[in-house]
Amino acid sequence: MSFIETIKARARSDVKTIVLPESEDDRTILAAAKVLKEGTAAPIIIGTEEEIMGSAARLGADLTGVQILDHTKSTETDKYATLLAEIRAKKGMTFEKAKELLNDKLTFGIMMVKAGDADGLVSGACHTSADMLRPALQIIKTAPERKIASIAFMFDIPDKSIGEEGIILCADCALMQDPNPEELAEIGAESAASFEALIGKPAKVAFLCHSTKGSANHPFVDKVVEAVKIAKEKYPDVMLDGELQLDAAIIPEIGASKAPGSPVAGQANVLIFPNLEAGNIGYKLIQRIGKAEAYSFLQGLAAPVNDLSRGCSVDELAGVICITAVQAQQQAASK
């Protein structure tokens, strides 16, 4: 069974409500119809019934049973405005300003999750990551045990000899511009936890660099070396190593040659990029040239709110909805 089929099966076992605020995008309508048909989530689409059902008819999408919420007519607006004003009080937020912000469908949806009126949210098909992440970080905030959030991609690669039978997690690919060593170490720990929660197998974390075990001398290398040192001290239960070049991380014979004795080299299933430039380019290479299925999600937040690539397909969007549902299951189980 593929990665996403396994996730779908888990999502069906305890169906969660997932908010979809981008009703203006056809992919949202089609993905909602897909998860309804497959029974993997109970989507809540924000918008007017006329617009949403009109789009569904045009697209031939069956939205039977979907929940449509017109946020401009919601009876919960004052409750959300009060809560938002409390959350952002130190930033000068007032009830009136909060109520104005709730005219935005994304902000309204995030407040639904914050208030416990929905289990999770997926957006980003037509929002930039910055526009989507800003309210998520301001309202949902990071989990108590985390200082930062990051964005990971789970890949299902045709070559099953790589990673965990073709499955690899990569981070950070869309949020932290240039993490310092402490932040990079935390991204590694977040990513290991995400991999094990979603895959159920031990994470083997490689901190990537253009150098392997001192083969190059540069401040870029020093940052990764320091991150690995910190990670090993702070997260002793995580199997990790670095600095490793990509081939040394995922190809057994090259790992054995370049990093003999490493517990990770040649068999990594979690790849930590040194900065956002490398991460963003790297994930798109894996997805486009490697022909991998790609599913993005946020790590480190206090509730499951996930960002999409604006180039995502309907299937990828539906897959991220399923991942969000599984994250919600895990969060509920941990309480």
Side-chain angles (χ1 to χ4, degrees):
M1 188 181 292
S2 70
F3 161 70
I4 200 60
E5 290 303 322
T6 301
I7 293 295
K8 287 178 181 179
R10 291 172 65 182
R12 287 188 198 99
S13 70
D14 181 13
V15 175
K16 297 299 183 182
T17 55
I18 307 300
V19 181
L20 306 176
E22 296 175 314
S23 55
E24 67 273 29
D25 193 296
D26 288 350
R27 290 170 294 178
T28 297
I29 305 301
L30 292 168
K34 184 177 177 66
V35 299
L36 280 167
K37 181 180 179 180
E38 295 179 341
T40 51
I44 302 172
I45 308 178
I46 299 181
T48 68
E49 185 165 357
E50 180 181 8
E51 291 172 343
I52 292 168
M53 297 311 290
S55 295
R58 173 174 53 82
L59 296 166
D62 182 3
L63 291 183
T64 302
V66 76
Q67 183 177 342
I68 294 173
L69 177 61
D70 185 345
H71 68 301
T72 65
K73 299 178 181 178
S74 174
T75 58
E76 302 298 310
T77 299
D78 285 356
K79 180 181 81 172
Y80 295 160
T82 300
L83 178 57
L84 180 54
E86 290 175 358
I87 293 168
R88 303 286 291 162
K90 291 183 179 179
K91 298 296 182 180
M93 182 67 68
T94 64
F95 175 84
E96 291 74 19
K97 177 61 176 177
K99 199 165 182 178
E100 181 182 336
L101 289 174
L102 288 168
N103 288 321
D104 173 61
K105 291 188 292 183
L106 175 58
T107 303
F108 192 94
I110 290 174
M111 286 306 305
M112 291 177 68
V113 177
K114 181 66 175 181
D117 294 334
D119 298 312
L121 177 143
V122 175
S123 184
C126 53
H127 283 84
T128 65
S129 289
D131 287 341
M132 191 273 169
L133 294 170
R134 189 179 304 109
L137 291 168
Q138 290 174 345
I139 296 168
I140 301 296
K141 303 183 182 298
T142 56
E145 70 276 12
R146 297 298 182 200
K147 294 181 180 179
I148 61 169
S150 59
I151 292 182
F153 276 77
M154 194 75 81
F155 293 99
D156 198 337
I157 302 169
D159 185 349
K160 300 307 177 186
S161 69
I162 293 175
E164 193 67 42
E165 297 182 359
I167 297 173
I168 285 183
L169 185 151
C170 297
D172 181 347
C173 300
L175 181 55
M176 297 291 291
Q177 194 77 36
D178 187 18
N180 62 37
E182 291 80 7
E183 292 167 337
L184 202 59
E186 185 166 332
I187 291 169
E190 287 179 353
S191 300
S194 293
F195 185 89
E196 293 179 358
L198 292 171
I199 304 302
K201 299 287 182 67
K204 301 171 185 176
V205 184
F207 285 79
L208 299 182
C209 188
H210 69 277
S211 166
T212 296
K213 298 296 184 179
S215 65
N217 182 20
H218 192 277
F220 291 168
V221 179
D222 297 340
K223 182 179 86 165
V224 178
V225 171
E226 181 64 17
V228 173
K229 179 182 176 182
I230 293 168
K232 286 182 175 179
E233 292 173 353
K234 290 187 68 176
Y235 313 107
D237 295 334
V238 178
M239 189 185 304
L240 61 93
D241 203 7
E243 84 284 14
L244 295 170
Q245 292 164 292
L246 177 62
D247 56 356
I250 63 173
I251 307 299
E253 53 271 28
I254 297 176
S257 173
K258 290 187 174 183
S262 168
V264 168
Q267 53 185 329
N269 51 28
V270 175
L271 305 178
I272 305 303
F273 290 98
N275 57 39
L276 188 58
E277 186 171 30
N280 194 266
I281 293 169
Y283 101 73
K284 290 180 179 178
L285 282 170
I286 296 169
Q287 181 183 19
R288 302 301 179 183
I289 296 178
K291 305 298 182 183
E293 294 179 13
Y295 305 96
S296 64
F297 54 93
L298 266 164
Q299 308 180 122
L301 286 187
V305 172
N306 282 320
D307 182 40
L308 298 159
S309 166
R310 281 176 291 166
C312 69
S313 67
V314 171
D315 285 346
E316 288 164 356
L317 200 164
V320 174
I321 293 171
C322 295
I323 289 172
T324 308
V326 171
Q327 289 177 319
Q329 291 174 354
Q330 294 167 337
Q331 185 181 64
S334 67
K335 289 183 178 179

